């Protein structure tokens, strides 16, 4: 499972607008943003990595005027962390990723007076992005580049789901990347404060996952940001599966 998850990350980064290959690494670059959470690198699973490779990786990030940063499944590059820390990288976080397969998916009811649908216009996409940015402490503005990025996700075969109120407002949402080898990452699950603790996050996660499985995806995976979100995902049928590392250089 670790290798499948890691390979899906490699391919997704390769699909960015301006990907760069540096030895065993792929850097997923999007020139429309400087965010290190969009522009980051990952190693190919099982590839041998040297200190010289790390030096070349840092140089490539600097050339792109981006912060050197990686995310990866630790078992797929067990010696990489030591090389990175020796080069001046600092660990940001260690997360357990969770997976769901069709046999474990549970679909809780959608809270009353809300419906789940796919945003089909740029205005709807912008509303969802603003909710996600608000929930994750980012800039509440949804730029044209943000909207275009979400539209590309849909056009590529990814999933986007928005929770809509009776008045037409956006209460929350989330999505998933286009599948790679029948594997897809679910991310961006967000709910506006007035609609929390009503089961909406669970319903959104389940609907995104259900749509993935209906289209032929075999494994959906995600990461929990804390104990509360962990419980949300476990209720939907996600189970712990492996470890991922977030590491960066200032």
């Amino acid at each position: 499972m670790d290798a499948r998850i890691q390979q899906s990350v490699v391919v997704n980064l390769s699909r960015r607008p301006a990907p760069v290959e540096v030895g065993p690494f792929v850097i997923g670059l999007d020139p429309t943003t400087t965010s290190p959470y969009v522009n980051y690198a990952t190693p190919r699973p099982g590839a041998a990595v040297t200190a010289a490779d790390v030096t070349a990786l840092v140089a490539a990030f600097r050339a792109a005027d981006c912060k050197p940063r990686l995310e990866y499944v630790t078992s797929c590059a067990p010696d990489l962390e030591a090389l990175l820390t020796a080069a001046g990288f600092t660990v940001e976080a260690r997360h357990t990723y969770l997976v769901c397969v069709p046999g474990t998916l549970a679909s809780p009811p959608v809270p009353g007076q809300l419906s789940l649908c796919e945003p089909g216009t740029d205005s709807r996409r912008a509303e969802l992005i603003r909710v996600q940015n608000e929930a994750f402490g980012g800039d509440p503005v949804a730029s044209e580049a943000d909207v275009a990025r979400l539209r590309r996700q849909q056009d590529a075969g990814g999933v986007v789901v928005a929770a809509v109120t009776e008045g037409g407002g956006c209460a929350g949402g989330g999505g998933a990347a286009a599948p790679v080898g029948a594997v897809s990452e679910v991310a961006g699950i967000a709910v506006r404060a007035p609609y929390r603790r009503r089961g909406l996050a669970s319903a959104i996660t389940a609907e995104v996952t259900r749509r993935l499985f209906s289209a032929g995806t075999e494994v959906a995976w995600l990461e929990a940001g804390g104990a509360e979100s962990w419980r949300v995902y476990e209720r939907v049928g996600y189970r712990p599966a492996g470890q991922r590392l977030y590491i960066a250089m200032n």
Side-chain angles (χ1 to χ4, degrees):
M1 184 61 70
D2 281 356
R4 291 185 72 182
I5 299 300
Q6 181 60 23
Q7 181 59 25
S8 73
V9 176
V10 168
V11 175
N12 279 325
L13 290 184
S14 299
R15 291 172 173 171
R16 293 280 164 79
V20 176
E21 294 194 19
V22 183
F25 301 105
V26 174
I27 309 175
L29 296 178
D30 185 339
T32 66
T33 178
T34 58
S35 171
Y37 306 108
V38 175
N39 299 294
Y40 61 89
T42 204
R44 298 185 183 280
V49 184
T50 67
D53 292 325
V54 173
T55 299
L57 178 67
V58 172
F61 269 109
R62 299 303 190 200
D65 199 24
C66 289
K67 176 179 181 177
R69 186 173 180 276
L70 296 91
E71 299 181 9
Y72 64 96
V73 177
T74 53
S75 70
C76 292
D79 300 324
L80 178 55
E81 182 180 346
L83 291 173
L84 293 171
T85 54
F89 282 75
T90 301
V91 173
E92 292 181 335
R94 302 179 193 274
H95 288 167
T96 298
Y97 73 83
L98 299 87
V99 301
C100 183
V101 296
T104 64
L105 177 63
S107 296
V110 180
Q113 301 181 322
L114 294 168
S115 60
L116 301 181
C117 61
E118 182 174 358
T121 66
D122 282 353
S123 61
R124 289 296 190 185
R125 295 182 185 101
E127 288 180 48
L128 172 55
I129 292 166
R130 284 192 289 269
V131 169
Q132 291 173 317
N133 289 352
E134 175 187 316
F136 297 122
D139 188 335
V141 175
S143 69
E144 291 184 7
D146 293 333
V147 172
R149 194 176 301 115
L150 191 62
R151 191 190 319 118
R152 286 198 303 271
Q153 179 177 319
Q154 292 173 287
D155 291 344
V159 172
V160 179
V161 169
V164 181
T165 68
E166 287 185 326
C170 184
V180 176
V183 175
S184 178
E185 179 186 8
V186 175
I189 304 299
V191 175
R192 290 187 60 220
Y195 300 94
R196 292 173 187 167
R197 302 188 183 282
R198 295 171 52 185
L200 181 56
S202 293
I204 293 169
T205 304
E207 178 62 12
V208 170
T209 308
R210 184 195 66 77
R211 290 182 180 222
L212 286 172
F213 292 158
S214 294
T217 299
E218 297 172 358
V219 177
W221 70 278
L222 50 68
E223 292 182 5
E228 184 173 347
S229 57
W230 186 291
R231 288 191 292 270
V232 166
Y233 301 141
E234 285 194 317
R235 284 196 293 270
V236 173
Y238 282 81
R239 301 292 181 263
Q243 302 295 317
R244 295 218 322 145
L245 179 68
Y246 294 73
I247 188 167
M249 175 188 286
N250 292 326

